[in-house]
Amino acid sequence: MDGLRQRVEHFLEQRNLVTEVLGALEAKTGVEKRYLAAGAVTLLSLYLLFGYGASLLCNLIGFVYPAYASIKAIESPSKDDDTVWLTYWVVYALFGLAEFFSDLLLSWFPFYYVGKCAFLLFCMAPRPWNGALMLYQRVVRPLFLRHHGAVDRIMNDLSGRALDAAAGITRNVKPSQTPQPKDK
């Protein structure tokens, strides 16, 4: 438990959007940042357990901050942060795809949205314990390296078929069916 406390204290000492907001609240209320953070986490957890719209809140948590951080990463001169957030979005997309097929069943489980929110927070956590990087290195990358040739062939085939279909559709349009400009 002391390790978790130290990590939280270290996070609260860093400079980012969350700590800036907590710092402003601390200045206004006189309540320490760590107590404000604990209260926010408690309220968020209770809302995810019992609140209406927990799915929306969980999806906002998984999207809003990562989108903001991704824009900052794009605008920064360093490319390391770009890689971190691209990795997050790959894992987020795969998770969203898996969730699409299992959400109907999983949403009936108690604490589903708390678990989902915890997973998304784990995926966007700062580096040594970043879940997205861990999942990418241990699951996504090995699968990609093993199957990317077959996926590339399928995508090229589908792309060719789509282009052929589009060309066929445009060839079948008769000149009389195309709108003619009106004379003035």
Side-chain angles (χ1 to χ4, degrees):
M1 194 65 155
D2 286 334
L4 178 63
R5 180 179 295 146
Q6 289 174 346
R7 284 190 227 163
V8 170
E9 293 290 336
H10 177 68
F11 174 76
L12 291 175
E13 291 169 5
Q14 294 176 356
R15 189 158 194 259
N16 57 47
L17 179 67
V18 174
T19 56
E20 287 175 14
V21 169
L22 288 173
L25 286 172
E26 181 180 34
K28 283 187 177 186
T29 62
V31 178
E32 293 181 37
K33 278 195 280 194
R34 63 181 175 183
Y35 295 125
L36 291 169
V41 168
T42 302
L43 286 174
L44 179 66
S45 299
L46 287 172
Y47 187 80
L48 287 172
L49 285 172
F50 305 112
Y52 182 74
S55 173
L56 175 65
L57 178 62
C58 195
N59 288 329
L60 284 173
I61 289 169
F63 181 79
V64 173
Y65 177 74
Y68 172 75
S70 296
I71 292 169
K72 283 183 68 171
I74 290 168
E75 297 300 324
S76 76
S78 170
K79 295 300 172 200
D80 289 339
D81 51 1
D82 296 1
T83 303
V84 169
W85 289 108
L86 278 172
T87 305
Y88 172 83
W89 290 114
V90 167
V91 171
Y92 183 84
L94 291 172
F95 176 73
L97 185 63
E99 185 185 33
F100 175 77
F101 292 106
S102 62
D103 189 45
L104 186 62
L105 298 173
L106 292 177
S107 63
W108 287 95
F109 283 95
F111 312 119
Y112 170 68
Y113 291 111
V114 173
K116 178 182 174 183
C117 191
F119 172 76
L120 293 173
L121 289 170
F122 169 66
C123 285
M124 69 176 89
R127 272 216 175 127
W129 29 292
N130 183 291
L133 291 172
M134 187 185 319
L135 286 169
Y136 180 80
Q137 290 296 329
R138 294 183 183 171
V139 178
V140 177
R141 187 171 188 269
L143 284 171
F144 172 77
L145 292 175
R146 192 174 320 134
H147 300 290
H148 76 89
V151 172
D152 286 345
R153 284 189 298 278
I154 291 169
M155 293 304 289
N156 286 335
D157 182 48
L158 289 174
S159 174
R161 287 183 187 186
L163 288 172
D164 291 344
I169 290 171
T170 57
R171 259 183 287 171
N172 292 336
V173 175
K174 295 179 184 173
S176 63
Q177 292 177 331
T178 58
Q180 300 294 324
K182 293 183 181 182
D183 292 329
K184 292 185 179 180

